[in-house]
DNA sequence: ATTAAACA
DNA sequence: CACTGTTTAATA
């Protein structure tokens, strides 16, 4: 039954079903069922059995049947899983077609690296299969004369392929480590680094740069999902540490109601931090939006320090919450925090710091954002997300001749009362824009937007609950509000 | 899972 | 500023 399902679903869901060459193959399969495969498989494990049946119907490869079968197995496995990923299943199907086009024996997955439709994932899977199969046969002492016949087809590997596969395996192992991609992994492997432990030993630190080293230090921690209560505990810790003048809140995924978070994101404001920079350029027209970024030299701005870098971060470091820095910006800090747990187990500051030194405990990604008090509403929207939703807000503002950013909602105003020439009547916006933002003779001024509600109101939209701020909300809006154009930028 | 494009 | 590498979004 599963076999039928496999080829059936594959055939039905594919536009290539009518491919005449496939009909030919199907006929062929009927006349010569499985015969050349009799010796090509070792112990008939269940999956292999099923998959070979499946493939015997349609997908027949002269040299690479084993790989085709393997891919079909993966496809089926994906389809039968609890939460099937259509695209992943499809990717396996695509790979099958790609392999069918290869008219020579494939020794290792590496032979497929240039083939369109076969990516690094499948290459790795094929190699893993070959290695496992190889080990399996050796264990069983099956390298006897009977099996030697099929060595050239599949099964036992020649020494050269074996080494290639082992090397490739270490590379893809290292590739899994966050912050390390295929290139770095290759460098490391060439230097003799074989696994995570080797890398942690520190012998290869010189090959890593920037964030890579830090991410490595917390490998196994940073990719862990964060529970809501863990974020709340960090929040509590921060509030206790920073004192009453600070306003600290959890934003991002937490505020959107996610059960588990990929990072802890906090918005902080303080009465002393009030600087709101003006938007640089008068306009960002969708057409020529590739505008060059303003020539503001980065140093002049970053030279200035603010509460975040002078007070907040140093304090939380001293208190044994923050462990390492990943990146800094003028108003934000991203890094690693050690989860303090509930108050009862916070323990002593010194102990926490020594734990951090030993990488003892649970470490998670965290980002801190210092926002001006008057911009709390807009910053809240931006930092809560998600990106689609914020983009939509920006677009709505633009439609009304306004500008939205993390500092607020801005209106273009011209000093002189002289009307600007009508250049381009903004498409669907029936509202009279205060003035034309394309003129050079004006400036952005902030409209009251201290709370989220202010902004929603100004943009003529209902308050959107944080948990609804995602793509589905936007598509709902676009479908139901017929007059408005798509709210998402193309 | 793959790919192309965006991002650092 | 180009280059390299990493992350993200789309895919039917």
């Amino acid at each position: 039954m599963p076999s039928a399902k496999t080829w059936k679903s594959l055939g039905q869901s594919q536009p290539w079903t009518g491919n005449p060459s496939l009909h030919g193959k199907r006929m062929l399969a009927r006349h010569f069922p499985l015969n050349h495969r009799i010796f090509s498989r070792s112990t008939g494990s269940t999956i292999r059995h099923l998959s070979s049946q499946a493939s015997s119907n349609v997908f027949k490869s002269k040299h690479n049947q084993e790989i085709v079968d393997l891919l079909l197995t993966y496809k089926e496995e994906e389809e039968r899983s609890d939460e099937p990923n259509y695209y992943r299943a499809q990717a396996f199907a695509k790979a099958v077609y790609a392999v069918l086009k290869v008219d020579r024996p494939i020794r290792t997955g590496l032979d497929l690296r240039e083939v369109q439709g076969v990516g690094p994932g499948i290459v790795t899977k094929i190699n893993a299969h070959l290695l496992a199969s190889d080990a399996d046969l050796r264990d069983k002492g099956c390298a006897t004369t009977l099996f030697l016949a099929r060595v050239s087809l599949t099964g036992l590997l020649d020494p050269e392929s074996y080494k290639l596969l082992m090397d490739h395996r270490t590379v893809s192992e290292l590739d899994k480590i966050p912050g390390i991609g295929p290139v770095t992994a290759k460098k490391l492997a060439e230097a003799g680094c074989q696994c995570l432990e080797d890398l942690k030993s520190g012998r290869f630190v010189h090959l890593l740069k920037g964030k890579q080293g830090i991410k490595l230090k917390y490998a196994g921690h940073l990719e862990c999902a964060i529970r809501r209560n863990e974020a709340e505990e960090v929040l509590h810790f921060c509030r206790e540490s920073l004192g009453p003048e600070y306003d600290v809140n959890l934003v991002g995924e937490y505020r959107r109601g996610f059960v588990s978070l990929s990072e802890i994101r906090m918005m902080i404001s303080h009465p002393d931090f009030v600087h709101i920079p003006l938007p640089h350029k008068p306009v960002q027209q969708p057409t020529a939006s590739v505008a060059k970024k303003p020539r503001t030299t980065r140093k002049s701005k970053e030279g200035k320090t603010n509460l975040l870098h002078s007070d907040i971060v140093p304090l939380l470091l001293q208190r044994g919450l923050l462990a390492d820095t990943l990146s800094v910006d003028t108003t934000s800090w991203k890094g690693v925090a050690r989860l303090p747990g509930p108050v009862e187990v916070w323990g002593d500051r010194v102990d926490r710091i020594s734990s951090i030194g030993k990488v003892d405990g649970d470490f998670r990604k965290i980002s801190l954002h210092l926002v001006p008090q008057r911009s709390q509403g807009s910053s809240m929207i931006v930092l809560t997300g998600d990106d689609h939703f914020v983009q939509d807000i920006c677009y709505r503002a633009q439609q009304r001749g306004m500008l939205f950013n993390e500092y607020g909602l801005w209106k273009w105003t011209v000093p002189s009362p002289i009307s600007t020439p009508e250049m381009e009547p903004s498409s669907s916006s029936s509202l009279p824009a205060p003035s034309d933002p394309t003129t050079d003779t004006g400036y952005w001024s902030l409209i009251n937007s201290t709370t989220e509600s202010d902004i929603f109101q100004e943009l003529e939209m209902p308050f959107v609950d944080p948990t609804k701020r995602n793509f589905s909300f936007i598509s709902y809006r676009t479908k139901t509000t017929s007059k408005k154009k798509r709210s998402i930028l193309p």
Side-chain angles (χ1 to χ4, degrees), chain A residues 449-468:
Chain A
S449 49
T450 45
T451 71
E452 287 188 329
S453 300
D454 293 334
I455 292 159
F456 285 131
Q457 201 171 333
E458 202 66 46
L459 295 177
E460 299 168 290
M461 54 193 290
F463 184 86
V464 182
D465 189 87
T467 62
K468 305 267 174 57

Side-chain angles (χ1 to χ4, degrees), chain A residues 386-448:
Chain A
D386 67 2
D387 290 347
H388 276 308
F389 183 79
V390 175
Q391 219 178 338
D392 187 53
I393 299 281
C394 291
Y395 183 73
R396 284 164 187 273
Q398 209 176 329
Q399 287 297 296
R400 290 163 174 74
M402 296 185 279
L403 183 149
F404 175 79
N405 64 14
E406 67 265 49
Y407 296 106
L409 203 51
W410 304 76
K411 184 177 57 180
W412 185 251
T413 51
V414 282
S416 62
I418 300 167
S419 63
T420 55
E422 301 249 343
M423 303 181 73
E424 201 128 13
S426 42
S427 54
S428 58
S429 171
S430 53
L431 291 180
S435 62
D436 186 357
T438 53
T439 51
D440 281 339
T441 59
Y443 57 93
W444 290 109
S445 63
L446 201 56
I447 350 182
N448 177 32

